[in-house]
Amino acid sequence: MLFLIIEKAIGQIPKEALEASGRCADYFAALKEKGKLKGHYHFAGVAGGAYILDVESNDELGETIIKSPFYKYTSRDIFPLMDEQRLIEAEKIAAVN
């Protein structure tokens, strides 16, 4: 299951959050090595970013997000992603109905 997670800093960035950035880089590197992180991007000029996770369940999604060193310093929007080919197939079926 693919999910797009968009994170933004909550208010002023505290010193602890800046100290967590090194741990966060290691955390994302480990996720990428396991094949769980498909992409990770930072916003230009805004404290935040977006990443795509490939996880087996909603529970794994929650655990992965909660374990992030930035978890308590960010708010997030989470969007399930759909494979383009499956979307096309679903649209064909919907057109017939």
Side-chain angles (χ1 to χ4, degrees), residues 35-71:
K36 298 296 180 182
L37 181 68
K38 298 302 179 184
H40 184 226
Y41 309 92
H42 298 279
F43 297 140
V46 177
Y51 53 100
I52 298 172
L53 291 177
D54 187 358
V55 293
E56 297 297 320
S57 67
N58 287 329
D59 288 340
E60 185 181 4
L61 173 68
E63 290 173 12
T64 303
I65 291 169
I66 289 168
K67 290 178 182 177
S68 169
F70 278 153
Y71 174 71

